[in-house]
Amino acid sequence: MSREIRITPSILNANFDDLAGEIRRIAQVSDLVHLDVMDNLFVPNFTFDFATASAIIQESVLPVDAHLMVLDADTIAPQYAEIGCASVTLHVEATQDVPGTLRAIRHAGARAGLAVKPGTDITDYADVCDLVDMFLIMTVEPGFGGQSFMSDMLAKISQTRLIIGDRPIWLQVDGGISPDTIEMATQAGADTFVAGSAVFKAQDPAKMVSMLRALANGVKE
Ligand code: DX5
Ligand code: ZN
């Protein structure tokens, strides 16, 4: 059985002065665009406030996959769903009410994603599978692009694949995904790939997206 592969480029390392243009550069070959929202509290970095993010989301030619690295995800995540994101992912470490907030995201019309930092066990969240449309396994410490893929996360990816079983839940990985690492992440069970610097530091970002997809599709299970 081969899984459907999705590539969701992150614009964290793109040109922030022309994000709409940067999204258009990869639109033909990408499934969604990954928008990293950081508040300088949950992670030591800041990207967008809600008004700026809303403008990007409204202008984007691709459906938006919002990755919220913010405190108080219970309040903020449903707002991102309401303004039209296709997918909204919150961190378990920033959420008081995981089931309630996952339900609120779906209720507002978006896919509900649940992310864990490298130090967080995924098995504690197996019981919310029915409320989740995507698990996000961080393969770097969240906060910055351009870090190295943590290969000790491969076991967690495999563990998550087992938890998912037959359910149609996407399994996303984020951090250090490149032509050098995408095959091992696929082999471990990932099917949805964030790639930031690999794509936007490439001479031809669209070509890099296609190369990543081809490499992931080439992995035999
Ligand atoms: C990091 C962000 C990532 C980041 C990935 O906290 O969540 O989405 O953009 O960047 P690369 O692909 O460069 O590791
Ligand atoms: Zn991200």
Side-chain angles (χ1 to χ4, degrees):
M1 180 196 89
S2 73
R3 261 175 233 123
E4 188 183 340
I5 298 295
R6 290 165 215 93
I7 311 288
T8 60
S10 160
I11 51 173
L12 186 61
N13 275 306
N15 173 11
F16 269 35
D17 293 331
D18 180 24
L19 285 177
E22 293 282 73
I23 295 171
R24 279 195 298 273
R25 286 173 85 189
I26 45 100
Q28 294 300 319
V29 288
S30 303
D31 297 279
L32 298 95
V33 61
H34 181 87
L35 186 72
D36 290 299
V37 181
M38 305 184 188
D39 64 354
N40 206 21
L41 295 168
F42 180 67
V43 289
N45 195 4
F46 182 85
T47 52
F48 316 107
D49 60 22
F50 187 68
T52 309
S54 304
I56 297 166
I57 292 158
Q58 255 124 48
E59 223 186 320
S60 174
V61 292
L62 275 173
V64 174
D65 166 36
H67 175 195
L68 305 182
M69 287 161 276
V70 297
L71 290 182
D72 195 14
D74 301 281
T75 306
I76 295 168
Q79 296 172 352
Y80 274 85
E82 278 157 21
I83 57 167
C85 291
S87 174
V88 178
T89 299
L90 52 86
H91 269 267
V92 299
E93 303 87 356
T95 309
Q96 303 299 315
D97 176 9
V98 169
T101 304
L102 291 170
R103 280 195 190 94
I105 293 169
R106 280 186 170 175
H107 184 73
R111 297 175 59 88
L114 194 61
V116 288
K117 298 207 292 187
T120 303
D121 194 349
I122 190 70
T123 52
D124 297 343
Y125 299 94
D127 60 346
V128 291
C129 264
D130 291 340
L131 302 173
V132 171
D133 298 300
M134 180 171 82
F135 283 112
L136 166 52
I137 305 301
M138 290 304 299
T139 45
V140 297
E141 285 297 339
F144 300 92
Q147 304 181 76
S148 298
F149 180 82
M150 296 169 68
S151 48
D152 49 344
M153 292 299 114
L154 289 167
K156 198 198 284 190
I157 299 167
S158 305
Q159 214 174 15
T160 310
R161 178 50 65 193
L162 284 175
I163 290 170
I164 290 172
D166 291 339
R167 299 177 183 90
I169 299 174
W170 300 358
L171 176 43
Q172 187 177 50
V173 284
D174 183 4
I177 296 297
S178 74
D180 294 332
T181 57
I182 194 165
E183 289 161 294
M184 55 181 146
T186 311
Q187 195 77 58
D191 59 14
T192 304
F193 301 89
V194 179
S197 42
V199 169
F200 282 102
K201 291 199 185 303
Q203 271 201 338
D204 184 339
K207 201 168 160 190
M208 176 55 70
V209 171
S210 300
M211 183 196 291
L212 290 169
R213 187 188 303 282
L215 287 167
N217 276 320
V219 172
K220 301 273 173 282
E221 287 160 41

